[in-house]
C-alpha cells in the first residue's frame, strides 16, 4: 500500500496532478477542498461551517477537518492506497494523520511537494477564479490571506516530513504532462 501526500501552495496544481496520478497508481484521491466544496454545494451542516472559513481564505479548524478526513478514509476499506490532496495543512493534522494511519498498521509513504513561486501562483488562481466560480479565487486579498495561512501553518510541514526522510520536492513549473512525469518518477522510486 502506498500513501502519498501531495503538497504545495494554493494553486500549485495538486488537484490537476491528482486526477492523473489516482488512475495511474490506483489510489483513492481525497481532496479536503473538494470535499468541503461538495458539502457547501449540498448545504450540509459541515458545508455551512466550512464556508465561513473558506470564504475568507482561512483554514477550517483542525478538529473539523481531521474528523472529516478520517471518515473519508474509513469509507474506503479496500483502498490500495491514498492520495491526500490539501491534507495535512497543519502540524496537528499531520500528527493526527500519522496516529490514525498507524492505528491501521499504515503510514505515509512520501510527501511530494509541487514547487512554484508565489507570483506565478497568484496569477494562476486569479485566472482560475474567472471560470471556477470559487469565491476564494476571485479576490486578491483572499488569495493573499491563503498564502499567509500557508506560510504560517502549512509550510512547517516541510520540516516535519524532512525529519522523517519522507519529503520529495518536484519542480511544479512546466506542462501538465511534464509534471506528471516528474511526480511519477518519484512514486516509482519509492
Ligand atoms: N486540510 C485543511 N485544513 C483546513 N482547511 C482546509 C483544508 N483543506 C482545505 N481547506 C479549506 O478549503 C480551502 C480550499 O482548499 P483547496 O481546494 O485545497 O485549495 P487550494 O487551491 O488553496 O490548495 C482552503 O483555503 C481552506 O479554507
Amino acid at each position: 500500500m502506498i500513501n502519498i501526500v501531495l503538497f504545495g501552495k494554493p494553486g500549485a496544481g495538486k488537484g490537476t496532478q491528482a486526477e492523473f496520478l489516482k488512475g495511474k497508481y490506483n489510489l483513492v484521491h481525497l481532496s479536503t477542498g473538494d470535499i468541503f466544496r461538495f458539502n457547501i454545494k449540498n448545504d450540509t451542516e459541515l458545508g455551512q461551517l466550512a464556508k465561513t472559513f473558506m470564504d475568507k481564505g482561512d483554514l477550517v479548524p483542525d478538529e473539523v477537518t481531521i474528523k472529516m478526513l478520517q471518515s473519508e478514509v474509513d469509507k474506503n476499506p479496500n483502498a490500495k492506497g491514498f492520495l491526500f490532496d490539501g491534507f495535512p495543512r497543519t502540524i496537528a493534522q499531520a500528527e493526527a494523520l500519522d496516529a490514525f494511519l498507524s492505528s491501521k498498521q499504515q503510514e505515509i509513504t512520501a510527501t511530494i511537494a509541487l514547487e512554484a513561486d508565489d507570483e506565478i501562483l497568484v496569477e494562476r488562481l486569479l485566472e482560475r477564479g474567472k471560470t471556477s466560480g470559487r469565491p476564494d479565487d476571485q479576490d486578491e486579498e483572499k488569495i493573499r490571506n491563503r498564502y499567509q495561512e500557508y506560510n504560517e501553518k502549512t509550510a512547517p510541514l516541510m520540516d516535519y516530513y524532512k525529519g522523517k526522510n519522507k519529503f520529495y520536492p518536484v519542480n511544479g513549473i512546466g506542462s501538465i504532462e511534464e509534471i506528471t512525469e516528474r511526480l511519477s518518477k518519484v512514486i516509482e522510486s519509492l
Side-chain angles (χ1 to χ4, degrees):
M1 185 153 176
I2 59 167
N3 295 307
I4 307 280
V5 173
L6 207 49
F7 187 86
K9 294 172 185 170
K14 302 183 291 289
T16 304
Q17 292 300 329
E19 283 307 313
F20 292 102
L21 297 175
K22 69 177 184 190
K24 195 164 173 187
Y25 299 105
N26 198 11
L27 303 172
V28 173
H29 173 211
L30 293 183
S31 158
T32 42
D34 285 351
I35 300 165
F36 284 135
R37 280 185 288 277
F38 177 85
N39 278 277
I40 291 172
K41 204 169 111 206
N42 291 289
D43 202 26
T44 67
E45 214 173 301
L46 174 66
Q48 289 174 6
L49 175 70
K51 190 172 174 10
T52 59
F53 297 94
M54 288 172 74
D55 279 356
K56 289 185 277 181
D58 290 343
L59 291 185
V60 178
D62 281 338
E63 204 191 88
V64 177
T65 309
I66 290 166
K67 244 199 231 153
M68 176 187 85
L69 192 276
Q70 293 181 344
S71 100
E72 293 296 323
V73 169
D74 285 335
K75 282 182 196 163
N76 293 281
N78 299 319
K80 297 268 183 292
F82 289 92
L83 187 56
F84 298 104
D85 161 8
F87 187 95
R89 259 185 160 97
T90 64
I91 296 279
Q93 291 180 12
E95 288 172 348
L97 181 60
D98 282 345
F100 177 62
L101 290 177
S102 127
S103 76
K104 298 174 178 299
Q105 280 75 52
Q106 294 292 328
E107 62 177 357
I108 291 298
T109 315
T111 292
I112 312 179
L114 284 170
E115 297 194 323
D117 287 337
D118 287 13
E119 293 314 311
I120 296 177
L121 296 181
V122 172
E123 281 310 310
R124 272 196 202 169
L125 288 180
L126 286 168
E127 205 45 49
R128 179 169 84 183
K130 290 181 190 161
T131 52
S132 71
R134 281 180 51 169
D136 60 344
D137 279 350
Q138 287 170 19
D139 173 333
E140 191 153 348
E141 204 177 313
K142 288 177 190 171
I143 293 177
R144 297 274 169 209
N145 187 42
R146 282 156 68 197
Y147 279 84
Q148 198 173 327
E149 288 279 78
Y150 172 87
N151 288 327
E152 270 173 33
K153 299 177 183 165
T154 309
L157 287 176
M158 291 191 270
D159 281 340
Y160 180 88
Y161 286 113
K162 277 179 197 163
K164 296 179 185 290
N165 284 325
K166 289 184 178 177
F167 190 78
Y168 299 82
V170 160
N171 176 4
I173 302 296
S175 71
I176 291 176
E177 298 75 23
E178 275 166 353
I179 297 166
T180 308
E181 204 39 51
R182 290 175 200 151
L183 294 168
S184 301
K185 260 199 197 139
V186 173
I187 294 175
E188 283 159 30
S189 75
L190 294 172

